[in-house]
Amino acid sequence: MSGQAGRLTWRLALLGLVLLLGTGGLVFRLVQLQILEHPEYQLQAHREHQRQRQIYAPRGDIVDRNGLPLATSIPAYDLYASRVDWQEKPGMAMEAAEGLAPVLQEPSAGILRAVLNAEAAEVLLAQGIPYEVGRSLQRKELTGVRLVQSSRRVYPEGSIAAPLLGFVGYDRVGLTGIEADFDQVLAGTPGLALYEEDSRGVAIPFGERSLAAPEPGGRVTLTIDRYIQRQAEQELDRAIQQYDAKGGAVIVMDPRTGEILALASRPTFDLTRLDFNDAALGELARLRPVTDLYEPGSVFKLVTVAAALDAGVITPSTTYDDTGAYRASDYTIYNWDRSVNGLQTVTQVLTKSLNTGAAWISQRLGAQSFYEYVARFGFGSLTGMGLPGEAPGQLRRPGEPEWSPVDLATNSFGQGLGVTPLQVIAAVAAVANGGQLMRPYIVSEIDGPDGHQAFAPTPVRRVISRQTAETLTQMMVEVAGALPAGTDGLGRYQVAGKTGTATIPEGGSYESGRIIVSFAGFVPVGHPRIVILVKIDEPVGQVWGSTVAAPVFQRLAVKVLAYLNVPPDLPAQVRRD
Amino acid sequence: MATLHRSHASAPPVRVSAGAVLALALLVLALTGLLPLLQTTQTTSTGFTVSQLEARRDELLATVQRLEVEIASLTSLDRVEREAQAVGFVEPAETVLLEVDQPGSTTGAAPPAAGRSLSIAGEETESGPAWWQRLLAFFDVR
């Protein structure tokens, strides 16, 4: 009997050992998986379940001086289709394509083909789909279709100030204009959502999640007034159409502050129908009144006369004997109409816009003094308005290799130098502002990531004395009053202005026959409230600044003065009898 | 006489069957297991509600933004001009600003309400407010 018990004992022990080893192995494996390799498996599990999604930040608004939006954003959706999903489920892919066809306004077969033939695993089919349309597509739960919340830029006032506002690209980054220059303010900061989702792709409620809220884009407030801008553009379009011109610009400025109330230029583009494949878009988007140079012509005589008055070398009644020609170095200067006018006062030189008289005045002033005043008026340097791409202008000065004495004569009547329309209006505004040059500016406030910033009017320097400014103003009143059909319609408002008709040089000569006409003036004279520069490029026919540009000034000034409730110089009196 | 000493013996032990204990333990275990299930169900349901509310909030925010843009479009200059012309407005031919040779109100008192301030022809006003105006002022009626 004891032998049998011994055999049972060792078998039992063996079984026990096997079980023990097995259990020990299991326990060891459990320890290895649950404790030693726990972080690795936890990470793997997180990766399988954790998802992240960028939350778009609404792009900020660009508003006019009254807070009315010129460019704003609305929620929209971007539409993606998964090539992989559609390849795996062809039947459902067809169904999905048919569901998308009315939205994309394309045949379903074409949509299917485009997605299946794509190289990328996921294809962007459309951007900026209206919000309601996107939501309805989401509810349909089409196979392989993904909708990502985004935004779309809209322009409530249409395409006004298009080159100034600029536009954004497909990736919602500003490409031109204010959209580009203030992209960091307008873009905002996208948010990020981290969450866990199950095997069906549904977010796990109260699973691990964190959220970085998006920061909406800031707001840029312009000095532009939408009504004045619109009127300026309409009048510019009317003149361009009437005279079959190539383009032009109209700028309206407050001379007291330098605020730009309107900045219109043609040619332009349609903000509401952007075509990024249009090769001309870059050219059309240029802010020409700031970037493009032109020879200002007779408007520049204001600078010549202002300088000479301020230097004391002439008075309004100083006389000049006009023989119709003026000899400057090896060249002969003629009047624009080849007229011979005899004895003329300086005021008459300005009124009749005599090139010979202007050249004579510049000679009396002297080259050094003349170019000093030209620089003081801001020509040849940036105005400092703050928009990139601004041109400083082109000006040859004594001492420079290309300068010759005839430049003094030609520059005196605005030829042989390149200026921007912005520089011209700033200079005329200085006369209106009692001789004080103000920095023109177009952005008045920014509300962005750095908080609220407001930009105040900035005096640059005194260009001419107040007395000189008043004297020149009275001369300009006589110039405006002598216009054939220009400013009569302003009635009780006194206007000070000057016309300009400049030939566009070509190949070093002025025989092209192409001209730029302009008119620069301010009103009312007693308390100047607005300065307007009108510039029309290459009008067709027998046209001059007085017949083309001055009427634009008149029509625009009438509307703007009424809109701003500016009292006239000579009010109508109503008395009780 | 024999004394009966009743010993204070303990109550006979209660015998609980092993089956009852096992049944009770199983019941407690079942209830304990049910609690997390109930909690999870409640959490899931609440989570779904939260997701729905978040989606609804996003929808409402988007609606607000769209309405703001719609307001901007409806008040745009183009539309205002179009609608104004449709109801017969025209551009003014001329705007005249008049300087009226009459002083405006310079008294510190609030202007009388419309209707009550219309003076009857011939009524003397230079002598001050009328008796009924004085009465109203007494009762501080505006």
Side-chain angles (χ1 to χ4, degrees):
Chain A
M1 287 293 289
S2 63
Q4 194 176 9
R7 279 200 298 275
L8 282 171
T9 303
W10 76 258
R11 282 174 186 165
L12 205 57
L14 183 62
L15 180 63
L17 184 65
V18 167
L19 288 173
L20 191 65
L21 286 173
T23 307
L26 279 172
V27 169
F28 174 75
R29 184 66 179 151
L30 278 170
V31 166
Q32 184 189 30
L33 291 174
Q34 298 265 31
I35 298 172
L36 299 177
E37 293 178 6
H38 168 77
E40 185 189 320
Y41 286 110
Q42 190 181 43
L43 189 63
Q44 198 174 341
H46 270 173
R47 280 200 197 115
E48 284 185 14
H49 293 292
Q50 204 169 55
R51 296 287 179 268
Q52 69 178 37
R53 176 171 54 92
Q54 198 173 61
I55 306 170
Y56 87 101
R59 192 171 175 85
D61 292 350
I62 303 173
V63 302
D64 83 336
R65 63 188 296 113
N66 302 306
L68 297 162
L70 300 175
T72 186
S73 297
I74 52 169
Y77 280 99
D78 292 343
L79 176 63
Y80 292 85
S82 167
R83 172 180 58 78
V84 173
D85 283 354
W86 281 16
Q87 280 173 344
E88 287 173 359
K89 301 165 192 166
M92 299 182 86
M94 191 64 209
E95 233 177 78
E98 282 165 5
L100 295 177
V103 173
L104 300 176
Q105 294 189 331
E106 281 182 27
S108 55
I111 298 170
L112 200 62
R113 198 167 37 245
V115 173
L116 294 176
N117 290 342
E119 282 186 19
E122 200 173 48
V123 179
L124 173 63
L125 289 175
Q127 276 188 302
I129 291 177
Y131 186 82
E132 310 79 15
V133 174
R135 290 292 289 152
S136 72
L137 279 177
Q138 269 185 334
R139 281 189 282 271
K140 287 181 185 175
E141 294 186 349
L142 300 171
T143 301
V145 171
R146 187 167 73 98
L147 286 134
V148 176
Q149 201 166 14
S150 68
S151 67
R152 189 161 58 94
R153 207 68 170 148
V154 293
Y155 306 93
E157 299 293 335
S159 283
I160 69 166
L164 173 64
L165 296 178
F167 54 86
V168 295
Y170 287 128
D171 51 359
R172 293 177 190 87
V173 172
L175 296 179
T176 70
I178 296 288
E179 296 275 17
D181 300 335
F182 293 90
D183 189 63
Q184 283 195 335
V185 172
L186 294 166
T189 308
L192 193 64
L194 292 171
Y195 58 96
E196 290 181 319
E197 68 180 23
D198 62 18
S199 56
R200 293 182 304 122
V202 178
I204 298 173
F206 290 102
E208 186 184 325
R209 60 191 287 169
S210 67
L211 182 72
E215 202 172 310
R219 182 164 122 149
V220 175
T221 303
L222 304 181
T223 58
I224 298 288
D225 184 294
R226 67 166 187 171
Y227 174 79
I228 300 174
Q229 178 73 27
R230 188 167 178 270
Q231 295 305 317
E233 295 198 2
Q234 284 183 341
E235 290 300 333
L236 181 58
D237 285 337
R238 180 174 161 179
I240 288 172
Q241 190 181 32
Q242 186 177 355
Y243 294 100
D244 203 20
K246 289 269 173 68
V250 172
I251 309 178
V252 182
M253 181 193 281
D254 186 336
R256 305 166 302 177
T257 61
E259 289 172 296
I260 295 176
L261 304 175
L263 186 67
S265 71
R266 295 291 187 263
T268 183
F269 60 98
D270 190 346
L271 270 174
T272 61
R273 288 190 190 86
L274 285 172
D275 179 8
F276 291 106
N277 297 319
D278 184 359
L281 185 58
E283 277 292 301
L284 295 173
R286 211 164 68 237
L287 193 56
R288 292 160 197 266
V290 171
T291 61
D292 287 12
L293 302 181
Y294 78 112
E295 297 195 3
S298 297
V299 170
F300 205 79
K301 287 171 181 154
L302 294 175
V303 176
T304 305
V305 172
L309 285 171
D310 201 57
V313 299
I314 59 168
T315 69
S317 53
T318 302
T319 54
Y320 159 68
D321 188 13
D322 175 37
T323 58
Y326 184 86
R327 193 78 182 153
S329 189
D330 296 328
Y331 297 87
T332 303
I333 307 293
Y334 298 100
N335 289 320
W336 61 273
D337 55 358
R338 299 285 175 149
S339 61
V340 177
N341 297 274
L343 207 63
Q344 302 290 296
T345 63
V346 170
T347 304
Q348 286 172 317
V349 165
L350 209 52
T351 307
K352 294 179 184 177
S353 203
L354 302 180
N355 295 343
T356 54
W360 173 77
I361 291 170
S362 68
Q363 291 292 331
R364 277 181 72 105
L365 186 56
Q368 185 178 353
S369 201
F370 174 78
Y371 287 102
E372 260 175 30
Y373 274 98
V374 166
R376 275 160 69 169
F377 269 102
F379 297 103
S381 58
L382 299 175
T383 62
M385 77 171 301
L387 292 182
E390 186 190 351
Q394 256 176 11
L395 186 62
R396 290 189 294 267
R397 295 180 180 85
E400 291 173 10
E402 293 104 8
W403 188 83
S404 83
V406 72
D407 284 331
L408 176 61
T410 55
N411 290 170
S412 72
F413 51 87
Q415 302 260 205
L417 73 165
V419 302
T420 64
L422 187 66
Q423 288 173 326
V424 171
I425 196 172
V428 176
V431 178
N433 196 32
Q436 180 77 37
L437 180 70
M438 301 299 290
R439 176 171 298 156
Y441 66 109
I442 208 155
V443 175
S444 66
E445 290 176 28
I446 296 174
D447 287 282
D450 298 329
H452 180 81
Q453 289 176 268
F455 299 95
T458 307
V460 178
R461 60 180 159 265
R462 174 157 290 284
V463 182
I464 52 178
S465 69
R466 184 169 288 279
Q467 177 65 42
T468 302
E470 286 170 6
T471 304
L472 181 60
T473 298
Q474 289 310 311
M475 295 166 76
M476 291 169 70
V477 170
E478 290 203 36
V479 172
L483 290 174
T487 57
D488 295 337
L490 280 161
R492 296 181 180 278
Y493 293 96
Q494 276 199 309
V495 175
K498 181 72 186 75
T499 56
T501 305
T503 308
I504 299 173
E506 210 169 85
S509 82
Y510 289 91
E511 305 300 325
S512 67
R514 293 154 48 222
I515 58 172
I516 291 176
V517 299
S518 58
F519 183 91
F522 52 89
V523 60
V525 161
H527 46 283
R529 182 67 176 84
I530 51 171
V531 183
I532 301 176
L533 170 69
V534 177
K535 169 182 165 283
I536 308 293
D537 302 336
E538 300 185 50
V540 173
Q542 289 292 319
V543 289
W544 313 103
S546 57
T547 56
V548 175
V552 176
F553 174 95
Q554 175 214 321
R555 290 194 300 266
L556 182 57
V558 164
K559 291 178 184 174
V560 175
L561 291 168
Y563 171 70
L564 295 175
N565 277 331
V566 178
D569 296 294
L570 309 165
Q573 291 266 330
V574 176
R575 291 177 183 277
R576 176 185 282 219
D577 288 328
Chain B
M1 218 163 126
T3 303
L4 182 65
H5 291 281
R6 191 185 286 275
S7 64
H8 294 286
S10 56
V14 177
R15 290 189 175 270
V16 179
S17 71
V21 170
L22 187 63
L24 189 65
L26 284 172
L27 186 64
V28 169
L29 205 64
L31 286 173
T32 310
L34 198 60
L35 281 174
L37 181 65
L38 288 172
Q39 194 178 38
T40 306
T41 308
Q42 180 65 30
T43 302
T44 306
S45 171
T46 306
F48 180 70
T49 306
V50 167
S51 297
Q52 277 194 316
L53 289 172
E54 283 177 342
R56 181 74 183 132
R57 178 205 61 197
D58 292 343
E59 260 193 55
L60 288 171
L61 282 173
T63 303
V64 166
Q65 285 176 29
R66 290 200 315 278
L67 288 172
E68 284 174 346
V69 170
E70 195 178 329
I71 290 170
S73 298
L74 290 171
T75 55
S76 70
L77 289 172
D78 273 347
R79 184 178 176 273
V80 168
E81 186 179 46
R82 211 166 43 243
E83 295 299 321
Q85 284 172 354
V87 297
F89 280 91
V90 296
E91 280 224 41
E94 190 187 352
T95 304
V96 179
L97 275 160
L98 302 177
E99 211 174 81
V100 180
D101 187 23
Q102 281 288 300
S105 170
T106 54
T107 62
R116 282 191 243 153
S117 63
L118 293 174
S119 57
I120 299 165
E123 191 174 280
E124 288 289 317
T125 53
E126 284 80 12
S127 58
W131 67 268
W132 57 270
Q133 287 175 319
R134 290 199 300 274
L135 188 63
L136 288 170
F138 177 77
F139 289 108
D140 197 25
V141 174
R142 291 190 178 85

